Amino acid sequence: MATSATTPRLHVRSDFPIFAREIDGRPLIYLDSAATSQKPAAVIEAMDDYYRRHNANIHRGVYTLAQEATDLFEGARERVAAFTGAETATTIFTRNATEAINLVAYAWGRANVGPGDVVLITQMEHHSNIVPWQLLCQGTGAELRYLDVSDEGTLSLDQLDAELAGGRVKLAAFAHISNVLGTINPVAEMASRVRAAGALSLVDASQAVPQIPVDVAAVGADFYVWTGHKALGPTGIGVLHGRRDVLEAMPPFLGGGDMIRVVDWQESTWNDLPWKFEAGTSMIAEAVGLGAAVDYLGELGMENVRAHERALAAYALERLADVGGVRVIGPPDPDERGGVISFELEGVHPHDVAELINRQNVCVRAGHHCAMPLMRRLGVPATARASLGPYNDASDVDALVEALVNAKKVFA
Amino acid sequence: MATSATTPRLHVRSDFPIFAREIDGRPLIYLDSAATSQKPAAVIEAMDDYYRRHNANIHRGVYTLAQEATDLFEGARERVAAFTGAETATTIFTRNATEAINLVAYAWGRANVGPGDVVLITQMEHHSNIVPWQLLCQGTGAELRYLDVSDEGTLSLDQLDAELAGGRVKLAAFAHISNVLGTINPVAEMASRVRAAGALSLVDASQAVPQIPVDVAAVGADFYVWTGHKALGPTGIGVLHGRRDVLEAMPPFLGGGDMIRVVDWQESTWNDLPWKFEAGTSMIAEAVGLGAAVDYLGELGMENVRAHERALAAYALERLADVGGVRVIGPPDPDERGGVISFELEGVHPHDVAELINRQNVCVRAGHHCAMPLMRRLGVPATARASLGPYNDASDVDALVEALVNAKKVFA
Amino acid sequence: MDDLYRDYILDHYKQPRNFGELEPHDLEAHDHNPLCGDEMGVHIRVRDGKIADLRFHGQGCAISQAAASIASEEYVGMPVDDVGQLDADWVIDLLGIPISATRRKCALLNLKVMRGATTGDASWPE
Amino acid sequence: MDDLYRDYILDHYKQPRNFGELEPHDLEAHDHNPLCGDEMGVHIRVRDGKIADLRFHGQGCAISQAAASIASEEYVGMPVDDVGQLDADWVIDLLGIPISATRRKCALLNLKVMRGATTGDASWPE
Ligand SMILES: Cc1ncc(COP(=O)(O)O)c(C=O)c1O
Ligand SMILES: Cc1ncc(COP(=O)(O)O)c(C=O)c1O
């Protein structure tokens, strides 16, 4: 038993009100942070306070409340940008990661991709980083191509080079961390090769921002997207970081209030970045909540979050071997993976695994994890997935293992 | 002085925590509900409770928390649909009204509008009901045409008929209630004429749902959109009600998680309504909050909300005449208008009006109210706008009048 | 004993009746449970307006597999036109276990593909 | 006396200096404050690299109009090349009143159009 895991570095569970909840007299063993994270009190209270004391529409109000709301909203944007090492003006709030990717596929894609061009993605992408590109390719006559996933759950830089050498790739989109395999991809290296080939890159960092220290400038991708609710923030908000020159050259996506400079009868001109891409009333309370979330994560220190989750994942990989009949999918080395552990339990369908262990209040996800193509590649109909947050500790892993042992018995 | 207004029908201010706030020792006189409404404690607490006790991602989770979150989310959808007299399956959650309109303009518009077709809107639309159609027309070669606004702030059904008689109109989009003029448009009659002419209609009910009883089925439009934050709900959520056959025939808008049935390498099939149009993780807490908002409004009774605001608007129109130099824009008859009162104060720019009366904590909006074309039609650079919510009473109107009298003195 | 995973459920799961392919067949359908990715297909042989034989195939959880296996024994011999009349309660009663909202679609998938094959209606049974 | 709407501000607002059009002119620009819809244009006549004469026009609040009027008296006689060096503080100091974040763009609109006319840079002064 790894002592590093049994003595976890973070002790923050009490910051998260949901863990006060018991179901049938038992505590909550929450191992589904890759689907959505739990929220610290600081995040919930920041939104509460916004609605109770400062609520007003932003940007155009002269009165005090409207100024406060504007400052809270734009202040949150500054802190979110600083947290990920991005510029404030190129940090755009979207509804979620999915909308951020669609924004790029519609606004940049429809203007820049045509017949014969290639959009390159990978076999490990989430549906949100597949379907927008399918729609783009179908709409423009471009070709959608995939980088393979190895049996260990990794990508090949050589294959990337070979695809780029074809000269037709216009944009390559790939996950920073896979939500199924846990694989941490070498995104800075990939983005730099894509750029050298004259193409653009989009990194889906939905799983990375909550798990590891990220630096948008250092990654150097043209677009870098993530989603608030997985990063201790609220639902209803996501982030698109873009390169300034690319964003400036792009036509807008959604039209409406706030994204315009002047609306004339037949045409309009656009507001400056980032507002050009933020149509209609913004997710004001959600931005305030996300600001509180990155403040909280910043105080924990993302190196500490990563070290904590890495140790815990290593411990989980060890302990799962004790169950017997558990097959873990994805890279075996804890240094090469995040805190997302997909597995199969011999003889028990993942759906039944999730149902059975829920009886001990152990929450894991079962299914295709919005990655049907990857399931096909792996030759499995579905997997069970346990995923970690900063609030987890070794006792959660122990509870999972115990619950799995019991589940096996039912199907024995 | 109208006694009906000095004895308001609703006494609900204490339900709204923000009114406990004082600035510089003075109470808040909030007259900007057309920009965004304040929120009752019930709404704030519902979201709080969601995050503290039930937070999980929805639809695919087997464990208890995920089931609870799914029930809360889908239960909110049912109540929202019931509140507006719509079907649950055709009630789609969007980011805001703006996104709902863009969804239609992209998904329905790009598939159904072509060169020579006409999209018909009105001179009183909010930018969110103008710019998406400009973008659609620019992208497809269709023509954008406008129904005029009369000097009294109304539309002409004869002009609508004349436009429809041209035979080229594919879609007509118009506000249920204008956010500048307060005009209540005869939307059921308009939708029926549009339908008779073989075109589709979209009603922008952003200002109507919070102010008057609405019945989506009775209006009979093909699309009916509104936004949560103006209807006592949270930011980050809007609603699109659509006709089932139209929605079913439409291609999807955003691609990603949750809106798919099966994702294959090159193409995908779509989920049933309403999820086909809800890509990525939904605004879960926001839906819960919006559900609480419609519950609250339902308990007040929208007839009562309307009666209260109508009486208060009538009182305001009377009292504003006392100030001297105030010119009110829009229909003079309180039966024909909602609780939105735009005005000019002679010799004082609206921006200065708003700044000066904010010193007495009176919150009004000044500017073009995201309706630049209407400002051009009215021949004004901007207006000041006072708008009502159920929490307002005659004392707020009195405070506005007093503040305007003081503002006049500064510029005298 | 487990409430949901009763012995006969596990038995049908581990040794599903009428499982496999059926060639030639007269009717067929294939569908998915979008929530979990389970898939199920059916091949049906019709004689004199009745279901003479049928086979389910695909991959899924114990509930979806056991439900298909148990229901298959009822489908055989049934007039083809009757399948469209069957509703969700029919399957759930047949299973005889408490089915939560989340597992409902697992239980109903076999009826969905049966209705798809016999009536062309691929909506979820209600 | 009012902190913001001081007598000289109101005086410049009610009787703006250098207001109107200037024909012919050598340089011009036109811009908006997207927050409130205020618009402002400028016509500039240049002699020997200096601003020989100028006129502002457009519609706006007391702050934007007074700022343009007060600043216009400084612009006249200034080398054209110097306009690009002026920053936000220059205008705000000139106005001599406390400018909140919301009113900042009102105060800066005149400098924005001046820089637009002389350097082509239409961004907001910082
Ligand atoms: C009439 C009208 N339509 C549309 C909108 C846009 O609403 P949202 O900004 O929430 O999308 C508004 C309010 O801003 C409005 O008043
Ligand atoms: C890797 C990855 N990309 C994208 C998404 C989509 O995020 P959202 O649903 O918040 O848009 C997710 C999570 O669902 C994810 O794990």
Side-chain angles (χ1 to χ4, degrees), chain D residues 61-118:
Chain D
C61 64
I63 307 301
S64 76
Q65 299 298 95
S69 174
I70 292 170
S72 74
E73 302 189 315
E74 304 294 318
Y75 294 134
V76 174
M78 191 181 279
V80 172
D81 289 346
D82 285 7
V83 175
Q85 318 299 322
L86 301 174
D87 63 7
D89 286 345
W90 178 80
V91 188
I92 287 173
D93 289 349
L94 205 59
L95 265 172
I97 49 175
I99 292 291
S100 69
T102 354
R103 302 310 293 273
R104 205 174 148 82
K105 290 196 170 173
C106 307
L108 300 184
L109 188 55
N110 72 84
L111 180 55
K112 184 171 198 269
V113 294
M114 284 299 291
R115 299 211 303 190
T118 57

Side-chain angles (χ1 to χ4, degrees), chain A residues 24-43:
Chain A
D24 298 333
R26 286 164 171 276
L28 192 66
I29 313 296
Y30 189 75
L31 291 168
D32 196 19
S33 295
T36 200
S37 66
Q38 296 302 338
K39 323 301 172 200
V43 167

Side-chain angles (χ1 to χ4, degrees), chain A residues 57 60 257-258 279-282, chain B residues 34-36 95-101 124-129 175-180 204-208 225-230 236-238 369-370 385:
Chain A
N57 213 327
R60 288 170 309 276
D258 238 34
T281 300
S282 290
Chain B
T36 200
R95 176 217 287 211
N96 50 25
T98 302
E99 196 210 1
I101 297 171
M124 68 170 78
E125 299 312 310
H126 186 280
H127 292 161
S128 293
N129 203 20
H176 197 153
I177 299 185
S178 158
N179 68 315
V180 177
D204 173 2
S206 301
Q207 296 293 341
V225 313
W226 52 290
T227 196
H229 67 94
K230 297 192 205 269
I237 190 163
H369 315 294
C370 294
R385 181 187 71 185

Side-chain angles (χ1 to χ4, degrees), chain A residues 177-178 181-184 207 211-212 306 309-310 313-314 317 331 333-341 386-388:
Chain A
I177 299 185
S178 159
L181 304 163
T183 318
I184 304 176
Q207 295 293 341
Q211 290 192 49
I212 59 174
R306 167 61 181 155
E309 292 180 18
R310 189 206 154 287
L317 292 174
D333 181 348
D335 285 336
E336 285 166 22
R337 60 144 70 228
V340 174
I341 303 174
S387 54
L388 304 169

Side-chain angles (χ1 to χ4, degrees), chain B residues 168-227:
Chain B
R168 293 195 294 134
V169 175
K170 279 287 202 139
L171 180 133
F174 35 85
H176 197 153
I177 299 185
S178 158
N179 68 315
V180 177
L181 304 163
T183 317
I184 303 176
N185 288 315
V187 287
E189 181 60 33
M190 292 172 77
S192 118
R193 295 189 190 197
V194 170
R195 169 164 294 261
L200 266 60
S201 55
L202 179 146
V203 173
D204 173 2
S206 301
Q207 296 293 341
V209 171
Q211 291 192 47
I212 60 174
V214 303
D215 182 340
V216 169
V219 169
D222 295 280
F223 303 105
Y224 193 87
V225 313
W226 52 290
T227 196

